Amino acid sequence: MLKYFFAAYFLLFGNTQDLFKYWKAEIIRRDKFSLHRLLREKKTRERNFLFWWRLANEMFIHGGKFTKRAARKINIKLLNEYGCDLGLGLRVGKGLTIFHHTGIIVTSTAIIGENLTIRQNTTIGRKQSDDDNDVLSIGNNVDIGAHTFILGSNFEIGDNVKIGAMSFVMDNIPSGCTFITKKDARIVNQL
């Protein structure tokens, strides 16, 4: 219950400039901020997740010790309810769209542009050997298919990229292209 107190305190006295920008783009979906529309639109499952995750993420980025602790508790509750783990401290531009939250994991060290679309059972993570200062950069207008695995850091996915379902990405993808991982076709003969 204390986490909601810190959330309200952050909304009243914290650095919420970016938070309202994200809420306008992802929850309200209008240029003008309306509290009534915000509360009405957040009733849908997808937008409710974005409402709380954006709040927790901004609390984590701009808050103090107790606010960060409250943000972690909100994020744990979201993980338990939705099965979606977006790391706190993640820098992702406005226009985030998540279809089917189940199994989505995104590391907090990624830098993601605007209008990212991500689908179920997708992982954007790091290797254990990656340096703490290394980041994965994903551009604007990127569409990531279901069951995709993006692993590593120190590489870049450009703007206007579509990544097909069940792809495995460990290297640069240039802007304006579609990426798929071809599978080996194997025939298994039974004796």
Side-chain angles (χ1 to χ4, degrees):
M1 198 59 155
L2 197 56
K3 62 184 174 259
Y4 298 117
F5 169 76
F6 282 107
Y9 181 82
F10 180 78
L11 285 172
L12 292 173
F13 303 110
N15 183 354
T16 57
Q17 181 179 0
D18 290 338
L19 178 62
F20 289 116
K21 177 179 73 171
Y22 297 136
W23 280 352
K24 283 193 313 188
E26 297 166 357
I27 291 74
I28 298 171
R29 296 177 295 154
R30 300 277 192 273
D31 291 333
K32 184 179 176 188
F33 185 83
S34 165
L35 182 61
H36 169 72
R37 187 167 172 88
L38 175 72
L39 297 175
R40 185 183 74 200
E41 293 295 326
K42 83 172 215 59
K43 291 179 182 178
T44 65
R45 182 172 168 82
E46 175 186 326
R47 292 188 200 121
N48 189 51
F49 175 84
L50 289 173
F51 174 88
W52 286 106
W53 182 78
R54 286 293 191 181
L55 175 59
N57 196 45
E58 290 299 307
M59 288 169 60
F60 186 81
I61 292 171
H62 300 294
K65 177 182 174 183
F66 296 110
T67 307
K68 287 183 181 193
R69 186 178 300 155
R72 284 188 196 100
K73 288 184 179 184
I74 292 170
N75 204 36
I76 289 169
K77 185 174 181 181
L78 288 173
L79 175 61
N80 291 334
E81 185 175 337
Y82 291 90
C84 182
D85 186 12
L86 302 182
L88 291 176
L90 173 66
R91 291 173 282 174
V92 57
K94 66 182 180 179
L96 175 63
T97 303
I98 299 174
F99 295 113
H100 310 292
H101 295 86
T102 305
I104 295 175
I105 300 170
V106 181
T107 181
S108 62
T109 60
I111 299 174
I112 302 172
E114 295 183 353
N115 303 320
L116 172 72
T117 301
I118 191 168
R119 290 172 181 78
Q120 70 271 15
N121 296 317
T122 296
T123 298
I124 301 173
R126 301 168 44 104
K127 296 182 281 189
Q128 280 185 321
S129 61
D130 287 343
D131 188 73
D132 289 340
N133 297 325
D134 294 342
V135 295
L136 166 65
S137 178
I138 299 176
N140 297 323
N141 306 315
V142 174
D143 190 335
I144 301 174
H147 303 280
T148 297
F149 195 72
I150 301 172
L151 180 65
S153 55
N154 263 353
F155 69 90
E156 184 174 315
I157 297 172
D159 295 337
N160 305 311
V161 170
K162 291 184 180 183
I163 300 175
M166 297 179 68
S167 292
F168 187 78
V169 180
M170 287 184 65
D171 205 0
N172 291 331
I173 299 176
S175 294
C177 68
T178 300
F179 178 90
I180 59 170
T181 301
K182 290 187 176 184
K183 310 289 189 253
D184 289 333
R186 296 183 185 165
I187 299 173
V188 178
N189 292 329
Q190 294 182 342
L191 299 176

mmCIF file of all heavy atoms in Angstrom, residues 56-95:
data_model
loop_
_atom_site.group_PDB
_atom_site.id
_atom_site.type_symbol
_atom_site.label_atom_id
_atom_site.label_comp_id
_atom_site.label_asym_id
_atom_site.label_seq_id
_atom_site.Cartn_x
_atom_site.Cartn_y
_atom_site.Cartn_z
ATOM 1 N N ALA A 56 6.095 3.465 -12.954
ATOM 2 C CA ALA A 56 7.179 2.850 -12.177
ATOM 3 C C ALA A 56 8.545 3.172 -12.774
ATOM 4 O O ALA A 56 9.504 3.456 -12.045
ATOM 5 C CB ALA A 56 6.984 1.339 -12.101
ATOM 6 N N ASN A 57 8.645 3.155 -14.092
ATOM 7 C CA ASN A 57 9.927 3.432 -14.749
ATOM 8 C C ASN A 57 10.370 4.875 -14.510
ATOM 9 O O ASN A 57 11.538 5.129 -14.220
ATOM 10 C CB ASN A 57 9.831 3.134 -16.244
ATOM 11 C CG ASN A 57 11.184 3.025 -16.899
ATOM 12 O OD1 ASN A 57 12.098 2.390 -16.374
ATOM 13 N ND2 ASN A 57 11.325 3.654 -18.043
ATOM 14 N N GLU A 58 9.457 5.814 -14.613
ATOM 15 C CA GLU A 58 9.804 7.214 -14.359
ATOM 16 C C GLU A 58 10.133 7.437 -12.883
ATOM 17 O O GLU A 58 11.024 8.221 -12.552
ATOM 18 C CB GLU A 58 8.676 8.145 -14.807
ATOM 19 C CG GLU A 58 8.505 8.213 -16.314
ATOM 20 C CD GLU A 58 9.738 8.738 -17.024
ATOM 21 O OE1 GLU A 58 10.238 9.825 -16.662
ATOM 22 O OE2 GLU A 58 10.206 8.062 -17.960
ATOM 23 N N MET A 59 9.430 6.741 -11.995
ATOM 24 C CA MET A 59 9.758 6.823 -10.566
ATOM 25 C C MET A 59 11.164 6.303 -10.327
ATOM 26 O O MET A 59 11.918 6.859 -9.533
ATOM 27 C CB MET A 59 8.755 6.009 -9.735
ATOM 28 C CG MET A 59 7.377 6.618 -9.631
ATOM 29 S SD MET A 59 6.143 5.503 -8.908
ATOM 30 C CE MET A 59 6.833 5.182 -7.297
ATOM 31 N N PHE A 60 11.529 5.223 -11.017
ATOM 32 C CA PHE A 60 12.852 4.625 -10.848
ATOM 33 C C PHE A 60 13.945 5.541 -11.404
ATOM 34 O O PHE A 60 14.994 5.708 -10.802
ATOM 35 C CB PHE A 60 12.904 3.266 -11.548
ATOM 36 C CG PHE A 60 14.169 2.515 -11.300
ATOM 37 C CD1 PHE A 60 14.340 1.793 -10.135
ATOM 38 C CD2 PHE A 60 15.198 2.536 -12.221
ATOM 39 C CE1 PHE A 60 15.509 1.097 -9.893
ATOM 40 C CE2 PHE A 60 16.372 1.850 -11.994
ATOM 41 C CZ PHE A 60 16.531 1.127 -10.824
ATOM 42 N N ILE A 61 13.687 6.154 -12.544
ATOM 43 C CA ILE A 61 14.692 7.013 -13.184
ATOM 44 C C ILE A 61 14.875 8.324 -12.428
ATOM 45 O O ILE A 61 15.997 8.770 -12.199
ATOM 46 C CB ILE A 61 14.316 7.287 -14.657
ATOM 47 C CG1 ILE A 61 14.425 5.988 -15.481
ATOM 48 C CG2 ILE A 61 15.196 8.372 -15.262
ATOM 49 C CD1 ILE A 61 13.867 6.095 -16.880
ATOM 50 N N HIS A 62 13.767 8.958 -12.024
ATOM 51 C CA HIS A 62 13.831 10.307 -11.463
ATOM 52 C C HIS A 62 13.621 10.372 -9.952
ATOM 53 O O HIS A 62 13.681 11.453 -9.372
ATOM 54 C CB HIS A 62 12.794 11.210 -12.135
ATOM 55 C CG HIS A 62 12.986 11.352 -13.605
ATOM 56 N ND1 HIS A 62 14.079 11.986 -14.153
ATOM 57 C CD2 HIS A 62 12.232 10.925 -14.653
ATOM 58 C CE1 HIS A 62 13.984 11.949 -15.473
ATOM 59 N NE2 HIS A 62 12.884 11.311 -15.793
ATOM 60 N N GLY A 63 13.353 9.248 -9.313
ATOM 61 C CA GLY A 63 13.012 9.281 -7.895
ATOM 62 C C GLY A 63 14.194 9.056 -6.976
ATOM 63 O O GLY A 63 15.300 8.743 -7.402
ATOM 64 N N GLY A 64 13.924 9.193 -5.703
ATOM 65 C CA GLY A 64 14.921 8.949 -4.663
ATOM 66 C C GLY A 64 14.902 7.492 -4.217
ATOM 67 O O GLY A 64 14.283 6.629 -4.844
ATOM 68 N N LYS A 65 15.543 7.233 -3.109
ATOM 69 C CA LYS A 65 15.716 5.873 -2.599
ATOM 70 C C LYS A 65 14.376 5.169 -2.349
ATOM 71 O O LYS A 65 14.155 4.049 -2.801
ATOM 72 C CB LYS A 65 16.539 5.933 -1.311
ATOM 73 C CG LYS A 65 16.737 4.627 -0.623
ATOM 74 C CD LYS A 65 17.528 4.819 0.658
ATOM 75 C CE LYS A 65 17.627 3.545 1.463
ATOM 76 N NZ LYS A 65 18.332 3.759 2.733
ATOM 77 N N PHE A 66 13.466 5.820 -1.643
ATOM 78 C CA PHE A 66 12.188 5.203 -1.309
ATOM 79 C C PHE A 66 11.277 5.106 -2.526
ATOM 80 O O PHE A 66 10.516 4.153 -2.659
ATOM 81 C CB PHE A 66 11.511 5.961 -0.171
ATOM 82 C CG PHE A 66 12.290 5.896 1.110
ATOM 83 C CD1 PHE A 66 12.927 7.019 1.606
ATOM 84 C CD2 PHE A 66 12.400 4.702 1.800
ATOM 85 C CE1 PHE A 66 13.654 6.954 2.779
ATOM 86 C CE2 PHE A 66 13.130 4.624 2.977
ATOM 87 C CZ PHE A 66 13.767 5.752 3.471
ATOM 88 N N THR A 67 11.354 6.076 -3.396
ATOM 89 C CA THR A 67 10.556 6.041 -4.630
ATOM 90 C C THR A 67 11.016 4.907 -5.532
ATOM 91 O O THR A 67 10.204 4.217 -6.143
ATOM 92 C CB THR A 67 10.648 7.390 -5.363
ATOM 93 O OG1 THR A 67 10.297 8.426 -4.453
ATOM 94 C CG2 THR A 67 9.717 7.442 -6.542
ATOM 95 N N LYS A 68 12.324 4.684 -5.612
ATOM 96 C CA LYS A 68 12.850 3.568 -6.414
ATOM 97 C C LYS A 68 12.405 2.230 -5.837
ATOM 98 O O LYS A 68 12.075 1.303 -6.576
ATOM 99 C CB LYS A 68 14.375 3.632 -6.486
ATOM 100 C CG LYS A 68 14.873 4.737 -7.387
ATOM 101 C CD LYS A 68 16.376 4.720 -7.500
ATOM 102 C CE LYS A 68 16.790 5.880 -8.406
ATOM 103 N NZ LYS A 68 18.157 5.808 -8.834
ATOM 104 N N ARG A 69 12.388 2.122 -4.533
ATOM 105 C CA ARG A 69 11.932 0.888 -3.895
ATOM 106 C C ARG A 69 10.456 0.638 -4.215
ATOM 107 O O ARG A 69 10.053 -0.487 -4.515
ATOM 108 C CB ARG A 69 12.147 0.967 -2.389
ATOM 109 C CG ARG A 69 11.834 -0.343 -1.680
ATOM 110 C CD ARG A 69 12.102 -0.278 -0.193
ATOM 111 N NE ARG A 69 13.508 0.023 0.051
ATOM 112 C CZ ARG A 69 13.958 0.590 1.151
ATOM 113 N NH1 ARG A 69 13.123 0.915 2.124
ATOM 114 N NH2 ARG A 69 15.241 0.826 1.314
ATOM 115 N N ALA A 70 9.646 1.691 -4.169
ATOM 116 C CA ALA A 70 8.230 1.558 -4.512
ATOM 117 C C ALA A 70 8.066 1.186 -5.988
ATOM 118 O O ALA A 70 7.206 0.369 -6.334
ATOM 119 C CB ALA A 70 7.492 2.868 -4.212
ATOM 120 N N ALA A 71 8.902 1.736 -6.859
ATOM 121 C CA ALA A 71 8.854 1.412 -8.289
ATOM 122 C C ALA A 71 9.159 -0.066 -8.514
ATOM 123 O O ALA A 71 8.514 -0.728 -9.334
ATOM 124 C CB ALA A 71 9.838 2.283 -9.060
ATOM 125 N N ARG A 72 10.136 -0.597 -7.775
ATOM 126 C CA ARG A 72 10.460 -2.026 -7.894
ATOM 127 C C ARG A 72 9.273 -2.901 -7.477
ATOM 128 O O ARG A 72 8.993 -3.926 -8.095
ATOM 129 C CB ARG A 72 11.686 -2.363 -7.047
ATOM 130 C CG ARG A 72 12.974 -1.909 -7.653
ATOM 131 C CD ARG A 72 14.178 -2.438 -6.864
ATOM 132 N NE ARG A 72 15.361 -1.695 -7.217
ATOM 133 C CZ ARG A 72 15.893 -0.707 -6.499
ATOM 134 N NH1 ARG A 72 15.351 -0.332 -5.369
ATOM 135 N NH2 ARG A 72 16.976 -0.078 -6.922
ATOM 136 N N LYS A 73 8.569 -2.491 -6.436
ATOM 137 C CA LYS A 73 7.406 -3.266 -5.977
ATOM 138 C C LYS A 73 6.287 -3.226 -7.013
ATOM 139 O O LYS A 73 5.623 -4.241 -7.251
ATOM 140 C CB LYS A 73 6.918 -2.743 -4.626
ATOM 141 C CG LYS A 73 7.862 -3.100 -3.496
ATOM 142 C CD LYS A 73 7.335 -2.668 -2.166
ATOM 143 C CE LYS A 73 8.334 -3.074 -1.082
ATOM 144 N NZ LYS A 73 7.844 -2.775 0.253
ATOM 145 N N ILE A 74 6.066 -2.085 -7.618
ATOM 146 C CA ILE A 74 5.059 -1.990 -8.682
ATOM 147 C C ILE A 74 5.459 -2.880 -9.855
ATOM 148 O O ILE A 74 4.636 -3.596 -10.420
ATOM 149 C CB ILE A 74 4.880 -0.522 -9.139
ATOM 150 C CG1 ILE A 74 4.233 0.307 -8.032
ATOM 151 C CG2 ILE A 74 4.054 -0.446 -10.415
ATOM 152 C CD1 ILE A 74 4.224 1.802 -8.290
ATOM 153 N N ASN A 75 6.741 -2.866 -10.210
ATOM 154 C CA ASN A 75 7.212 -3.680 -11.332
ATOM 155 C C ASN A 75 7.070 -5.179 -11.039
ATOM 156 O O ASN A 75 6.711 -5.953 -11.922
ATOM 157 C CB ASN A 75 8.664 -3.325 -11.671
ATOM 158 C CG ASN A 75 9.013 -3.662 -13.092
ATOM 159 O OD1 ASN A 75 8.192 -3.526 -13.992
ATOM 160 N ND2 ASN A 75 10.230 -4.091 -13.309
ATOM 161 N N ILE A 76 7.322 -5.592 -9.804
ATOM 162 C CA ILE A 76 7.150 -7.001 -9.428
ATOM 163 C C ILE A 76 5.675 -7.398 -9.534
ATOM 164 O O ILE A 76 5.342 -8.487 -10.013
ATOM 165 C CB ILE A 76 7.701 -7.257 -8.014
ATOM 166 C CG1 ILE A 76 9.231 -7.190 -8.040
ATOM 167 C CG2 ILE A 76 7.221 -8.593 -7.460
ATOM 168 C CD1 ILE A 76 9.885 -7.167 -6.672
ATOM 169 N N LYS A 77 4.788 -6.512 -9.100
ATOM 170 C CA LYS A 77 3.354 -6.791 -9.210
ATOM 171 C C LYS A 77 2.941 -6.924 -10.673
ATOM 172 O O LYS A 77 2.164 -7.812 -11.033
ATOM 173 C CB LYS A 77 2.553 -5.685 -8.520
ATOM 174 C CG LYS A 77 1.076 -5.973 -8.485
ATOM 175 C CD LYS A 77 0.315 -4.956 -7.680
ATOM 176 C CE LYS A 77 -1.155 -5.337 -7.681
ATOM 177 N NZ LYS A 77 -1.973 -4.411 -6.963
ATOM 178 N N LEU A 78 3.482 -6.066 -11.542
ATOM 179 C CA LEU A 78 3.187 -6.160 -12.971
ATOM 180 C C LEU A 78 3.711 -7.475 -13.553
ATOM 181 O O LEU A 78 3.034 -8.115 -14.366
ATOM 182 C CB LEU A 78 3.806 -4.982 -13.730
ATOM 183 C CG LEU A 78 3.158 -3.628 -13.517
ATOM 184 C CD1 LEU A 78 3.981 -2.535 -14.183
ATOM 185 C CD2 LEU A 78 1.740 -3.621 -14.039
ATOM 186 N N LEU A 79 4.901 -7.873 -13.146
ATOM 187 C CA LEU A 79 5.470 -9.132 -13.619
ATOM 188 C C LEU A 79 4.593 -10.308 -13.213
ATOM 189 O O LEU A 79 4.315 -11.202 -14.022
ATOM 190 C CB LEU A 79 6.890 -9.314 -13.073
ATOM 191 C CG LEU A 79 7.585 -10.640 -13.391
ATOM 192 C CD1 LEU A 79 7.727 -10.827 -14.891
ATOM 193 C CD2 LEU A 79 8.947 -10.691 -12.719
ATOM 194 N N ASN A 80 4.124 -10.319 -11.988
ATOM 195 C CA ASN A 80 3.267 -11.410 -11.514
ATOM 196 C C ASN A 80 1.916 -11.432 -12.221
ATOM 197 O O ASN A 80 1.368 -12.493 -12.483
ATOM 198 C CB ASN A 80 3.064 -11.314 -10.008
ATOM 199 C CG ASN A 80 4.325 -11.613 -9.238
ATOM 200 O OD1 ASN A 80 5.203 -12.321 -9.716
ATOM 201 N ND2 ASN A 80 4.431 -11.045 -8.049
ATOM 202 N N GLU A 81 1.378 -10.262 -12.536
ATOM 203 C CA GLU A 81 0.055 -10.192 -13.142
ATOM 204 C C GLU A 81 0.085 -10.410 -14.651
ATOM 205 O O GLU A 81 -0.802 -11.046 -15.212
ATOM 206 C CB GLU A 81 -0.581 -8.827 -12.840
ATOM 207 C CG GLU A 81 -1.997 -8.705 -13.328
ATOM 208 C CD GLU A 81 -2.656 -7.411 -12.920
ATOM 209 O OE1 GLU A 81 -2.211 -6.795 -11.932
ATOM 210 O OE2 GLU A 81 -3.618 -7.006 -13.590
ATOM 211 N N TYR A 82 1.101 -9.882 -15.324
ATOM 212 C CA TYR A 82 1.126 -9.910 -16.788
ATOM 213 C C TYR A 82 2.158 -10.879 -17.364
ATOM 214 O O TYR A 82 2.100 -11.204 -18.545
ATOM 215 C CB TYR A 82 1.427 -8.514 -17.338
ATOM 216 C CG TYR A 82 0.305 -7.533 -17.122
ATOM 217 C CD1 TYR A 82 0.240 -6.755 -15.975
ATOM 218 C CD2 TYR A 82 -0.698 -7.375 -18.069
ATOM 219 C CE1 TYR A 82 -0.779 -5.846 -15.776
ATOM 220 C CE2 TYR A 82 -1.727 -6.475 -17.886
ATOM 221 C CZ TYR A 82 -1.766 -5.710 -16.736
ATOM 222 O OH TYR A 82 -2.783 -4.818 -16.549
ATOM 223 N N GLY A 83 3.157 -11.283 -16.597
ATOM 224 C CA GLY A 83 4.210 -12.144 -17.130
ATOM 225 C C GLY A 83 5.117 -11.406 -18.090
ATOM 226 O O GLY A 83 5.692 -11.996 -19.002
ATOM 227 N N CYS A 84 5.264 -10.110 -17.895
ATOM 228 C CA CYS A 84 6.041 -9.245 -18.779
ATOM 229 C C CYS A 84 7.058 -8.492 -17.922
ATOM 230 O O CYS A 84 6.672 -7.808 -16.984
ATOM 231 C CB CYS A 84 5.108 -8.271 -19.486
ATOM 232 S SG CYS A 84 5.895 -7.177 -20.664
ATOM 233 N N ASP A 85 8.335 -8.626 -18.260
ATOM 234 C CA ASP A 85 9.398 -8.039 -17.450
ATOM 235 C C ASP A 85 10.181 -7.013 -18.259
ATOM 236 O O ASP A 85 11.135 -7.354 -18.952
ATOM 237 C CB ASP A 85 10.326 -9.142 -16.940
ATOM 238 C CG ASP A 85 11.381 -8.625 -15.978
ATOM 239 O OD1 ASP A 85 11.259 -7.471 -15.522
ATOM 240 O OD2 ASP A 85 12.316 -9.387 -15.674
ATOM 241 N N LEU A 86 9.746 -5.774 -18.190
ATOM 242 C CA LEU A 86 10.510 -4.670 -18.782
ATOM 243 C C LEU A 86 11.359 -4.092 -17.666
ATOM 244 O O LEU A 86 10.828 -3.660 -16.645
ATOM 245 C CB LEU A 86 9.585 -3.592 -19.358
ATOM 246 C CG LEU A 86 8.586 -4.031 -20.429
ATOM 247 C CD1 LEU A 86 7.795 -2.837 -20.923
ATOM 248 C CD2 LEU A 86 9.271 -4.715 -21.580
ATOM 249 N N GLY A 87 12.670 -4.098 -17.839
ATOM 250 C CA GLY A 87 13.569 -3.647 -16.794
ATOM 251 C C GLY A 87 13.370 -2.185 -16.440
ATOM 252 O O GLY A 87 13.152 -1.347 -17.314
ATOM 253 N N LEU A 88 13.427 -1.880 -15.157
ATOM 254 C CA LEU A 88 13.329 -0.486 -14.727
ATOM 255 C C LEU A 88 14.606 0.241 -15.118
ATOM 256 O O LEU A 88 15.703 -0.287 -14.979
ATOM 257 C CB LEU A 88 13.108 -0.411 -13.218
ATOM 258 C CG LEU A 88 11.757 -0.910 -12.743
ATOM 259 C CD1 LEU A 88 11.682 -0.873 -11.232
ATOM 260 C CD2 LEU A 88 10.620 -0.126 -13.351
ATOM 261 N N GLY A 89 14.466 1.440 -15.604
ATOM 262 C CA GLY A 89 15.593 2.204 -16.117
ATOM 263 C C GLY A 89 15.713 2.091 -17.619
ATOM 264 O O GLY A 89 16.544 2.756 -18.236
ATOM 265 N N LEU A 90 14.876 1.256 -18.228
ATOM 266 C CA LEU A 90 14.861 1.091 -19.678
ATOM 267 C C LEU A 90 14.473 2.412 -20.340
ATOM 268 O O LEU A 90 13.521 3.058 -19.928
ATOM 269 C CB LEU A 90 13.858 -0.004 -20.063
ATOM 270 C CG LEU A 90 13.577 -0.217 -21.543
ATOM 271 C CD1 LEU A 90 14.825 -0.724 -22.255
ATOM 272 C CD2 LEU A 90 12.424 -1.191 -21.713
ATOM 273 N N ARG A 91 15.214 2.796 -21.349
ATOM 274 C CA ARG A 91 14.897 4.020 -22.089
ATOM 275 C C ARG A 91 14.226 3.627 -23.397
ATOM 276 O O ARG A 91 14.868 3.114 -24.301
ATOM 277 C CB ARG A 91 16.159 4.832 -22.332
ATOM 278 C CG ARG A 91 16.705 5.413 -21.029
ATOM 279 C CD ARG A 91 18.029 6.071 -21.219
ATOM 280 N NE ARG A 91 19.041 5.005 -21.281
ATOM 281 C CZ ARG A 91 20.304 5.205 -21.553
ATOM 282 N NH1 ARG A 91 20.751 6.401 -21.801
ATOM 283 N NH2 ARG A 91 21.150 4.187 -21.575
ATOM 284 N N VAL A 92 12.915 3.850 -23.443
ATOM 285 C CA VAL A 92 12.130 3.534 -24.636
ATOM 286 C C VAL A 92 11.233 4.721 -24.955
ATOM 287 O O VAL A 92 10.592 5.289 -24.083
ATOM 288 C CB VAL A 92 11.323 2.219 -24.455
ATOM 289 C CG1 VAL A 92 10.408 2.288 -23.265
ATOM 290 C CG2 VAL A 92 10.566 1.852 -25.701
ATOM 291 N N GLY A 93 11.223 5.127 -26.219
ATOM 292 C CA GLY A 93 10.453 6.283 -26.650
ATOM 293 C C GLY A 93 8.957 6.037 -26.604
ATOM 294 O O GLY A 93 8.485 4.921 -26.369
ATOM 295 N N LYS A 94 8.207 7.093 -26.857
ATOM 296 C CA LYS A 94 6.756 6.982 -26.804
ATOM 297 C C LYS A 94 6.242 6.114 -27.957
ATOM 298 O O LYS A 94 6.914 5.933 -28.963
ATOM 299 C CB LYS A 94 6.112 8.364 -26.823
ATOM 300 C CG LYS A 94 6.298 9.128 -28.102
ATOM 301 C CD LYS A 94 5.672 10.501 -28.017
ATOM 302 C CE LYS A 94 5.896 11.228 -29.338
ATOM 303 N NZ LYS A 94 5.307 12.534 -29.333
ATOM 304 N N GLY A 95 5.043 5.604 -27.776
ATOM 305 C CA GLY A 95 4.428 4.772 -28.799
ATOM 306 C C GLY A 95 4.704 3.289 -28.631
ATOM 307 O O GLY A 95 4.573 2.525 -29.580
#
